[in-house]
């Protein structure tokens, strides 16, 4: 089992930046990929992007490409989500998650952290 804890959420003005962190503990050697998800108010949770644990290959949904960057520090077992040029529609609870293989869905989740973009 992998235990995930997000941090770094908060209130930011439109156009601002925020960096979220996701610290992993437990059986981290079994992680294939880490993902970031978000759930806007009243909407379904959806994926933002992901990064492979070993090679660091990243993927993003179109709405955040060029604004968000996912990175990882394997020595610290931590994944980051750098969010720039934030928009009100980025307001959501952000979650990180882990999956053990491309054949498996994400099965370890953090508790989420609130990001609010508002003036």
């Amino acid at each position: 089992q992998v235990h995930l804890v997000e941090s770094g959420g908060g209130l930011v003005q439109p156009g601002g930046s925020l960096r979220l962190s996701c610290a992993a503990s437990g059986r981290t050697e079994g992680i294939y990929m880490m993902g970031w998800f978000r759930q806007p108010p009243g909407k379904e949770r959806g994926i933002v992007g992901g990064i492979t644990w070993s090679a660091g290959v990243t993927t993003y949904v179109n709405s955040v490409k060029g604004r968000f960057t996912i990175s990882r520090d394997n020595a610290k077992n931590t994944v980051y989500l750098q969010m720039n040029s934030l928009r009100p529609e980025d307001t959501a609870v952000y979650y990180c998650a882990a999956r053990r293989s491309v054949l498996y869905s994400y099965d370890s989740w953090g508790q989420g952290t609130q990001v609010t973009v508002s003036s």
Side-chain angles (χ1 to χ4, degrees):
Q1 185 72 7
V2 177
H3 183 59
L4 303 173
V5 178
E6 301 100 334
S7 61
L11 173 65
V12 62
Q13 293 187 341
S17 297
L18 211 56
R19 189 177 81 157
L20 305 183
S21 299
C22 174
S25 60
R27 301 190 64 177
T28 58
E29 69 279 3
I31 296 175
Y32 162 72
M33 189 166 194
M34 296 287 293
W36 282 99
F37 293 75
R38 65 184 179 183
Q39 185 168 17
K43 295 185 179 180
E44 297 284 320
R45 184 166 60 188
I47 193 164
V48 174
I51 185 167
T52 58
W53 192 250
S54 178
V57 176
T58 55
T59 59
Y60 303 93
V61 294
N62 287 337
S63 58
V64 307
K65 281 181 181 178
R67 300 189 299 123
F68 289 13
T69 302
I70 299 173
S71 61
R72 90 266 191 253
D73 184 334
N74 287 32
K76 295 182 178 180
N77 286 338
T78 299
V79 174
Y80 304 97
L81 178 63
Q82 177 67 44
M83 303 184 292
N84 299 328
S85 302
L86 282 162
R87 306 166 180 168
E89 55 263 37
D90 294 317
T91 295
V93 178
Y94 284 73
Y95 300 87
C96 66
R99 62 192 302 187
R100 290 167 286 157
S101 162
V102 67
L103 300 177
Y104 293 91
S105 60
Y106 288 94
D107 56 5
S108 295
W109 293 84
Q111 83 287 354
T113 186
Q114 176 70 47
V115 172
T116 302
V117 184
S118 174
S119 54

